[in-house]
Amino acid sequence: MKLTENEIRDITKYLEAGKNLPEKDRFLLFEDKKEVELLWNGKSGDLTNVVLPFQVIEQVDEPRSEEKREVQGSLFDSKTGRQVKGWNNKLIWGDNKLILSSLKNGPMREEIEEQGGIKLLYIDPPFDVGSDFSMDIEIGDETLTKEPSVIEETAYRDTWGKGEDSFLTMIYERLFLIKDLLANDGSIYVHCDWRLNSSMRQVLDEIFGRENYRREIIWTMSASAGFKGKVNNYVRGHDSIFYYVKNKDNYIFNKPYVDYSEAQLKRFTKVDEDGRRYKPITKTRRVYLDDSKGVPISDVWNDIANFQTVVNSEEILGYPTQKPERLIERIIKASSNEDDIVCDFFVGSGTTAATAEKLSRKWICCDLGKFSIHTTRK
């Protein structure tokens, strides 16, 4: 774009005075401008490209079950039970920026690509600006407070040291690295709440492309919400989960269904000459009950309760941000197939890893919190 003499004069004045250019001038100067862009202090397109070695601390060589052990044959040594070949799931302790960079640029990238690449990423980043890595742990009748380590304190400072600016800088670079690691037919689900969901949507649009946005899933957590509301406000009862794909023309999606309710079953009022129940849609079209998969699930999920509304559950580990397995199960089943690689780089209590394992998916998970790694391992 050719600048006018007045525009050149004004821009030169700002540069000579050492002042920041007004946004209108920045867009005039650079042709690769974005029509809509979220800006914050510290935003940068520079990506980490460091490659660090992964140190193996522990290797758990057990197949998923004794039944599978017989089928797998030479995958496991018959005498020692140690795995001799094939994919190893990975639980990694460390800074996920360095982990993502090392996965992207290091030798493990080839191993990931040989398995078809990463098909699904679910992340639940730390949105609670008032929290840190300290945690109350119940041991018998006593409650002990686990204090944050130096590494965790540094991560907390870098993430929330400048408030929202710090968080956006942290998540921006990680999402770029994640996009590069995703398979071409892969998907990402980003879990967030009211604190940053508006900013997160704009960041995801910028990195993955607005055309690759699929849905904002509203997880209502329970039918009755179950949260104490402020006197002069509505009761908060939902989180947002943003669903994007790498390529809108080619991605895995296994449409999920739920069973018909009693009221919906009553709509199958007709019976044909073969005794099959159906409901008429038009004069020429009908839906048969025995052919139907059920009701397609919408983007409002109000059938999965949050742990705050469930008192007795074997799942509950006391981890403050833990999510129900049913929630992660729905996502994994919808956007991956058996033997695909599923990842979570803010794994927390390990729900993604545990659920992926139960659903016969391969997985890579990591977290910086040592308590998170111990909880996930257990």
Side-chain angles (χ1 to χ4, degrees):
M1 178 184 293
K2 189 173 182 179
L3 300 178
T4 66
E5 289 185 6
N6 287 339
E7 288 169 340
I8 293 173
R9 183 191 69 238
D10 292 342
I11 290 172
T12 303
K13 285 182 179 178
Y14 278 104
L15 294 175
E16 288 176 344
K19 295 181 179 179
N20 292 329
L21 289 176
E23 286 305 309
K24 64 180 183 65
D25 293 331
R26 186 174 70 88
F27 283 109
L28 284 174
L29 283 173
F30 302 105
E31 292 186 0
D32 62 339
K33 61 181 181 294
K34 301 177 179 68
E35 292 183 4
V36 178
E37 182 182 4
L38 183 67
L39 296 174
W40 64 88
N41 183 27
K43 183 177 182 180
S44 170
D46 296 334
L47 298 182
T48 301
N49 57 12
V50 65
V51 178
L52 299 176
F54 291 96
Q55 180 182 357
V56 178
I57 303 298
E58 180 184 20
Q59 186 161 335
V60 181
D61 294 307
E62 294 181 7
R64 288 194 177 96
S65 69
E66 289 302 315
E67 291 75 15
K68 285 196 173 185
R69 184 171 187 151
E70 295 176 7
V71 175
Q72 289 169 330
S74 60
L75 177 58
F76 290 87
D77 183 88
S78 59
K79 294 182 179 179
T80 64
R82 292 191 65 84
Q83 185 171 330
V84 294
K85 64 179 180 179
W87 169 266
N88 286 300
N89 293 322
K90 295 163 180 63
L91 175 60
I92 307 169
W93 176 39
D95 185 331
N96 54 15
K97 180 175 76 171
L98 302 178
I99 291 168
L100 283 163
S101 177
S102 299
L103 289 175
K104 172 189 170 185
N105 301 300
M108 202 177 290
R109 178 68 178 264
E110 184 177 347
E111 182 184 356
I112 292 171
E113 298 297 337
E114 286 176 356
Q115 301 296 325
I118 295 170
K119 301 295 188 181
L120 171 63
L121 261 150
Y122 167 85
I123 58 172
D124 181 15
F127 284 94
D128 188 358
V129 296
S131 68
D132 55 24
F133 284 88
S134 64
M135 193 171 300
D136 290 335
I137 305 170
E138 293 185 4
I139 301 176
D141 297 330
E142 295 185 40
T143 299
L144 303 176
T145 299
K146 190 224 62 130
E147 297 297 337
S149 66
V150 173
I151 295 175
E152 291 168 337
E153 286 179 342
T154 302
Y156 177 73
R157 181 198 65 205
D158 291 346
T159 303
W160 291 115
K162 296 180 181 178
E164 187 173 350
D165 284 355
S166 298
F167 176 84
L168 291 173
T169 299
M170 180 277 293
I171 200 67
Y172 188 73
E173 182 171 11
R174 285 155 177 80
L175 286 172
F176 261 115
L177 293 167
I178 282 171
K179 183 186 178 185
D180 190 276
L181 277 168
L182 261 184
N184 288 332
D185 56 351
S187 307
I188 181 171
Y189 290 73
V190 180
H191 197 128
C192 58
D193 64 15
W194 59 272
R195 294 173 179 88
L196 287 164
N197 57 359
S198 57
S199 300
M200 181 59 70
R201 172 69 193 276
Q202 289 183 280
V203 169
L204 287 164
D205 277 348
E206 182 176 332
I207 294 173
F208 286 88
R210 184 173 295 185
E211 70 279 6
N212 292 315
Y213 164 77
R214 298 291 87 192
R215 282 290 183 268
E216 177 184 2
I217 297 165
I218 302 298
W219 176 41
T220 60
M221 298 183 275
S222 79
S224 59
F227 296 97
K228 294 180 179 179
K230 293 181 178 179
V231 175
N232 294 320
N233 205 346
Y234 298 105
V235 175
R236 187 184 75 82
H238 81 275
D239 280 355
S240 295
I241 304 173
F242 291 117
Y243 165 38
Y244 282 75
V245 296
K246 180 106 174 247
N247 179 359
K248 66 181 178 63
D249 298 318
N250 176 34
Y251 60 95
I252 298 167
F253 187 70
N254 308 307
K255 182 174 284 191
Y257 296 82
V258 293
D259 293 336
Y260 289 112
S261 66
E262 288 294 327
Q264 291 166 332
L265 284 172
K266 290 178 181 178
R267 297 175 186 170
F268 291 85
T269 56
K270 305 294 184 180
V271 180
D272 70 5
E273 59 276 8
D274 296 321
R276 298 174 66 200
R277 287 176 61 187
Y278 69 91
K279 64 177 179 180
I281 305 300
T282 65
K283 289 183 178 180
T284 58
R285 183 168 171 258
R286 56 181 66 171
V287 174
Y288 283 93
L289 180 59
D290 57 3
D291 282 342
S292 177
K293 296 178 180 178
V295 182
I297 292 174
S298 77
D299 55 7
V300 178
W301 296 359
N302 56 13
D303 59 334
I304 301 175
N306 186 44
F307 288 138
Q308 295 185 47
T309 64
V310 179
V311 178
N312 297 315
S313 172
E314 294 181 358
E315 281 186 48
I316 298 176
L317 303 173
Y319 202 90
T321 58
Q322 183 182 356
K323 301 299 185 293
E325 285 190 17
R326 281 188 62 209
L327 181 73
I328 309 303
E329 178 183 341
R330 179 170 292 175
I331 291 170
I332 290 176
K333 284 183 174 179
S335 292
S336 70
N337 298 312
E338 286 194 8
D339 289 327
D340 285 344
I341 299 177
V342 173
C343 292
D344 186 343
F345 294 107
F346 298 87
V347 76
S349 61
T351 304
T352 302
T355 309
E357 180 75 17
K358 292 174 182 177
L359 296 175
S360 298
R361 270 65 169 178
K362 303 179 178 79
W363 51 266
I364 303 172
C365 293
C366 75
D367 205 286
L368 181 61
K370 204 163 188 178
F371 183 64
S372 166
I373 294 297
H374 287 316
T375 306
T376 301
R377 176 188 176 279
K378 181 179 179 180

